[in-house]
Amino acid sequence: MTNEYTLSSAPGRRSGVAVWKQIANTLSTEIRDRAFTASGRLPSENELSTRFGVNRHTLRQAVAALQVDGLVRIEPGRGTFVQHELLDYVLSRRTRFSENLQRQGLLPSKQLLTAREIPAPERVAHELRLDKGMAVLMVETLDEADSQPIALATAYYPALRFSGLLEMLHDGTGTTKILRHFGVEDYVRAESHVTTQMPSDETARLLKQPATRPVLCVECLDVDMDGQPIKYGETVFSGDRVQLVVSAGQEAGDKP
């Protein structure tokens, strides 16, 4: 008597396709459909072997194929982690969120999480050349690509120079248009500092990634064309979805 199998449980033995290949195809489809987003990893060997009704050797063939295709990475002693295609986020003199994504055919969007006036923390005051405790406008956003969260960004603006900025943000006005309203026709990145760290539980929740996976942290300072600081920012990128690209080339609008 021959057992009947389906791809949702175990692969069929009479399909003409190797069993390990059927398993790899099934898992590949599930990875692309983000079925493992919550944990960021595939189930254990025991769980997958039971699900598909195969031995570990067959299962390891399937997982090895996924690794060759760049869909997973195997970390000995820890498990098999989903490796989605990374988007390139360019850090340059004219780093612009929307342009970075649109160049790759992705739809940029932002969710406004926090926008309020606060006394400047010591680091923020130093970067913006303000006296300690002077008012700054703090804006926190969840940055998305094709509706998937990729970064949690916090920006600080001098309150005196940009009085009214918060109201314009709440009305849905874009950052570049707001800055032009305040006479900033153009601005450039003065510096970026890149580090890695483990996310807080809240950051992991917002980025929809496991709290056990590191994030990329970028501290940056933007200045107007007279060299005056206009924004200090701290952005946390999902390390599983974003790779940072440092551009040293001359860009449009730069003087040779």
Side-chain angles (χ1 to χ4, degrees):
M1 179 176 176
T2 303
N3 291 331
E4 294 294 326
Y5 296 92
T6 65
L7 285 181
S8 61
S9 55
R13 267 54 174 178
R14 295 184 175 180
S15 67
V17 178
V19 172
W20 67 264
K21 181 64 173 176
Q22 294 180 60
I23 296 172
N25 289 341
T26 299
L27 292 175
S28 174
T29 297
E30 293 176 349
I31 288 170
R32 290 189 169 91
D33 289 342
R34 298 189 176 273
F36 307 108
T37 298
S39 65
R41 70 170 74 190
L42 265 60
S44 68
E45 279 191 356
N46 283 339
E47 292 173 308
L48 289 174
S49 294
T50 299
R51 172 188 170 186
F52 291 110
V54 296
N55 59 41
R56 290 190 176 187
H57 174 72
T58 299
L59 181 66
R60 286 170 184 168
Q61 282 184 289
V63 173
L66 296 177
Q67 185 178 38
V68 170
D69 289 342
L71 295 177
V72 301
R73 63 180 181 278
I74 301 172
E75 299 184 10
R78 298 194 65 232
T80 303
F81 293 86
V82 175
Q83 184 69 63
H84 292 296
E85 184 177 354
L86 298 176
L87 68 86
D88 292 336
Y89 195 90
V90 180
L91 300 179
S92 64
R93 275 178 53 80
R94 281 182 167 76
T95 297
R96 302 291 189 267
F97 170 73
S98 294
E99 292 176 10
N100 256 329
L101 270 57
Q102 289 169 347
R103 277 196 296 265
Q104 299 171 73
L106 301 170
L107 178 64
S109 59
K110 288 177 176 282
Q111 292 186 38
L112 182 61
L113 303 178
T114 303
R116 66 179 187 269
E117 182 175 314
I118 64 170
E122 184 174 355
R123 176 63 183 273
V124 174
H126 171 75
E127 294 292 341
L128 293 178
R129 302 178 198 169
L130 302 174
D131 293 334
K132 184 178 179 180
M134 287 188 67
V136 292
L137 307 175
M138 184 183 77
V139 178
E140 186 178 50
T141 59
L142 183 64
D143 298 347
E144 300 170 322
D146 287 346
S147 300
Q148 290 294 322
I150 61 168
L152 185 63
T154 306
Y156 301 89
Y157 302 87
L160 280 178
R161 181 170 183 178
F162 297 107
S163 177
L165 178 147
L166 299 184
E167 291 76 10
M168 296 180 73
L169 275 177
H170 281 297
D171 289 340
T173 308
T175 303
T176 299
K177 187 173 181 179
I178 290 174
L179 293 176
R180 286 175 179 163
H181 171 81
F182 289 101
V184 182
E185 292 298 324
D186 197 7
Y187 61 96
V188 294
R189 177 67 51 87
E191 58 186 36
S192 295
H193 298 273
V194 181
T195 58
T196 61
Q197 67 182 39
M198 301 305 294
S200 66
D201 289 341
E202 177 64 7
T203 296
R205 183 187 70 82
L206 289 168
L207 292 178
K208 295 182 180 179
Q209 72 161 61
T212 55
R213 302 300 301 164
V215 292
L216 302 171
C217 309
V218 178
E219 298 179 27
C220 61
L221 178 67
D222 290 341
V223 299
D224 62 21
M225 304 315 289
D226 293 323
Q228 294 300 310
I230 61 167
K231 183 190 78 173
Y232 170 70
E234 300 169 347
T235 303
V236 176
F237 291 92
S238 171
D240 285 344
R241 298 182 195 133
V242 177
Q243 63 181 358
L244 300 176
V245 180
V246 179
S247 172
Q250 184 173 309
E251 300 177 49
D254 285 348
K255 295 181 179 180

